[in-house]
Amino acid sequence: MDLESLYQDIILDHYKHPRGRGLLEHPLGSAFHVNPTCGDEITMQVARDADGGLELGYDGQGCSISQASASVLVELLEGGTVEHSEAVRLAFVALMHAQGAGEPDEEVLGDAIAFAGVAKFPARVKCALLAWMALQDAEIQAGLLTTGEQP
Ligand code: ZN
């Protein structure tokens, strides 16, 4: 199996079996983003769990890339710190802007490396980034992050 089809399998698996999908009962912050060029919609919500880690909830509809990306995001970041979520988000944004030439760091990005192939298709980059942009807005709204903050 080549890398491209392995990546496609990871994306399809998250699309068919989304991790952590569903909205929170008491979100601290919530953001609804749409990608009009593809028709994707994502609502991303953040709260704190009992241990102070990130609690994430989301819902949405759209193409497999947009929905799988949200599932990967939640799997990677749920229960972690805001600083960790920012570090992973920035690494993912950098990967998606590398036009396929990026060297994804699997230790940081986990299953999100599967989107490395998507970065070659500018029209699909917005699909992949949708959930991550909504996460940033939800964290800002929750007061967990200030605009432009770097980890
Ligand atoms: Zn899409």
Side-chain angles (χ1 to χ4, degrees), residues 35 38 40 63 66 124 127:
N35 172 20
C38 184
D40 309 317
C63 71
S66 67
R124 310 319 298 275
C127 305

Side-chain angles (χ1 to χ4, degrees), residues 53-122:
L54 273 181
E55 186 181 3
L56 299 167
Y58 74 99
D59 203 358
Q61 57 184 354
C63 71
S64 57
I65 291 170
S66 67
Q67 303 306 306
S69 184
S71 170
V72 167
L73 181 160
V74 168
E75 183 175 73
L76 279 171
L77 306 183
E78 178 111 291
T81 63
V82 175
E83 291 71 25
H84 174 249
S85 79
E86 264 303 271
V88 176
R89 192 181 63 79
L90 291 172
F92 187 70
V93 170
L95 174 66
M96 295 315 295
H97 288 155
Q99 291 163 351
E103 282 283 320
D105 183 344
E106 189 168 2
E107 269 192 29
V108 175
L109 288 167
D111 277 358
I113 60 162
F115 294 87
V118 174
K120 281 181 258 179
F121 306 99

